[in-house]
């Protein structure tokens, strides 16, 4: 059974759903909590971390390799948004 999402998490998922690339864009209001939010959404299978191409919004960078990563909404994430309304 899935856990209840916060309003902030739902807002991030909804915003990603209307983007053509289906990627999450970090909100400036999350500040230090962005990684905590991401970890929960990944654990729930609602988003997946992918290597960010030049046109994708960067969610985080690897400290050693400087590889950029984006978070992409999954089919389960889209379904979760539909059932949350």
């Amino acid at each position: 059974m899935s856990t209840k999402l916060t309003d902030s998490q739902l807002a991030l998922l909804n915003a990603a759903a209307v983007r053509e690339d289906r990627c999450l864009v970090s909100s400036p209001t999350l500040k230090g909590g962005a990684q905590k939010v991401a970890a929960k959404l990944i654990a729930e299978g609602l988003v997946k971390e992918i290597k960010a191409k030049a046109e994708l919004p960067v969610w985080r960078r690897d400290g050693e390799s400087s590889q950029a990563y984006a978070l992409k909404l999954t089919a389960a994430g889209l379904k979760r948004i539909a059932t949350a309304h």
Side-chain angles (χ1 to χ4, degrees), residues 14-49:
N14 279 313
V18 298
R19 289 178 53 90
E20 187 174 324
D21 60 20
R22 298 285 195 250
C23 286
L24 273 69
V25 177
S26 182
S27 168
T29 59
L30 286 177
K31 297 185 182 172
Q35 294 309 318
K36 185 176 178 182
V37 169
K40 182 174 180 179
L41 296 175
I42 292 168
E44 289 281 324
L46 305 176
V47 298
K48 64 181 176 180
E49 191 172 64

Side-chain angles (χ1 to χ4, degrees), residues 1-5 40 43-46 76 79-81 83-84:
M1 184 174 185
S2 59
T3 59
K4 182 168 172 58
L5 298 177
K40 182 174 180 179
E44 289 281 324
L46 305 176
K79 185 176 177 182
R80 183 72 176 267
I81 294 166
T83 60

Side-chain angles (χ1 to χ4, degrees), residues 39-74:
K40 182 174 180 179
L41 296 175
I42 292 168
E44 289 281 324
L46 305 176
V47 298
K48 64 181 176 180
E49 191 172 64
I50 60 171
K51 288 184 178 180
K53 298 176 186 172
E55 67 277 1
L56 296 180
V58 174
W59 189 266
R60 74 169 185 93
R61 287 192 184 276
D62 181 87
E64 292 181 19
S65 68
S66 295
Q67 171 65 52
Y69 291 92
L71 293 179
K72 187 166 184 146
L73 192 63
T74 63

